[in-house]
């Protein structure tokens, strides 16, 4: 089967795979703009968001004291859990190569990232981690402001950039985002029940 052949008379699982390739090419090659090439690389870089993480640290510890420090411990533990499940368990089990290492896609995509990991593609750890953080932020801090919901746009932009630069398929980031939301929701429910920044 060629990459862009007709979807007639092929199994449903292959149709899903074909759709994943099709959307990957759309995002990475056809929906590209020169100015966004640099932006995508910038927003997916972990160092870009260090000021944000510092702000969150100061915000919760200054405003909530001891509970704020427990919040920091909880979010770090959650991040570790996300990495364990996404990188160490699911990626090892699925074993899907990244698009930047897939010969079938080599002539069809632009590889903008300087580094293409040797580990698996499914699920995207970037998407898992950032959507988990977004959900945790929203669920634990929404009592103070509804603006925390913007964290989901932040996580979505980072996840989209992973596809744009050629290191993940759309299904990788969709599944990673869903996994992250589930982990983030569970972690926030546990935190709110045991400690809760909104509690008197």
């Amino acid at each position: 089967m060629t990459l862009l052949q007709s979807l007639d008379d092929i199994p449903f699982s292959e149709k899903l795979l074909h759709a994943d390739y099709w959307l990957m090419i759309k995002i990475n090659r056809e929906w590209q703009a020169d100015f966004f090439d640099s932006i995508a690389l910038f927003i997916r870089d972990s160092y870009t968001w260090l000021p944000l993480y510092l702000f969150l640290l100061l915000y919760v510890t200054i405003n909530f004291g001891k509970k704020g420090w427990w919040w920091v411990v909880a979010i770090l533990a959650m991040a570790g859990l996300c990495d364990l499940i996404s990188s160490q368990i699911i990626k090892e089990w699925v074993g899907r190569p990244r698009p930047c290492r897939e010969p079938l896609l080599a002539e069809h995509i632009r590889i903008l990232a300087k580094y293409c990991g040797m580990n698996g593609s499914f699920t995207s750890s970037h998407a898992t981690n950032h959507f988990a953080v977004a959900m945790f932020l929203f669920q634990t801090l929404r009592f103070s402001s509804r603006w925390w919901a913007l964290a989901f746009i932040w996580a979505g932009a980072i996840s989209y950039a992973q596809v744009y630069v050629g290191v993940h398929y759309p299904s990788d980031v969709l599944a990673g985002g869903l996994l992250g939301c589930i982990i983030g929701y569970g972690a926030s429910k546990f935190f709110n029940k045991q400690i809760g920044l909104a509690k008197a």
Side-chain angles (χ1 to χ4, degrees), residues 164-179:
Y164 187 92
V165 302
V167 298
H168 277 293
Y169 296 99
S171 62
D172 298 338
V173 299
L174 288 173
L178 177 60
L179 175 63

Side-chain angles (χ1 to χ4, degrees), residues 49-118:
W49 304 107
L50 287 178
L52 173 62
Y53 302 143
L54 178 60
F55 165 76
L56 290 172
L57 173 66
L58 294 175
Y59 178 83
V60 296
T61 55
I62 291 173
N63 287 285
F64 304 105
K66 185 177 180 181
K67 287 186 177 183
W69 285 108
W70 279 113
W71 185 93
V72 173
V73 171
I75 204 168
L76 289 175
M78 181 194 68
L81 179 62
C82 286
D83 186 67
L84 173 66
I85 295 174
S86 177
S87 296
Q88 306 302 318
I89 298 176
I90 298 179
K91 282 185 177 182
E92 291 296 320
W93 177 60
V94 175
R96 184 187 198 188
R98 292 173 181 263
C100 46
R101 297 194 177 277
E102 175 55 68
L104 183 63
L105 282 175
E107 62 185 82
H108 297 284
I109 66 171
R110 303 175 312 135
I111 302 172
L112 302 181
K114 293 181 180 178
Y115 173 74
C116 179
M118 293 296 294

Side-chain angles (χ1 to χ4, degrees), residues 29 37 39 47 62 78 81 92 106 108 112 124 126 128 132 135 145 149 151 154 159 163 173 178-179 182 192 200:
R29 191 180 69 186
D37 288 358
I39 294 174
Y47 292 108
I62 291 173
M78 181 194 68
L81 179 62
E92 291 296 320
H108 297 284
L112 302 181
S124 166
H126 266 72
T128 303
M135 180 63 78
S145 173
W154 165 73
S159 299
V163 180
V173 299
L178 177 60
L179 175 63
I182 292 171
N192 285 337

Side-chain angles (χ1 to χ4, degrees), residues 56 59-60 64 71 75 78 129-155 180-181 183-189 191-192 197-198:
L56 290 172
Y59 178 83
V60 296
F64 304 105
W71 185 93
I75 204 168
M78 181 194 68
N129 293 338
H130 289 91
F131 270 99
V133 170
M135 180 63 78
F136 191 84
L137 288 175
F138 178 68
Q139 292 292 337
T140 59
L141 294 170
R142 63 178 177 175
F143 71 92
S144 63
S145 173
R146 293 184 178 180
W147 286 102
W148 291 108
L150 293 176
F152 291 105
I153 297 177
W154 165 73
C181 284
I183 296 173
Y185 183 78
S188 64
K189 291 290 285 186
F191 178 83
N192 285 337
L197 299 180

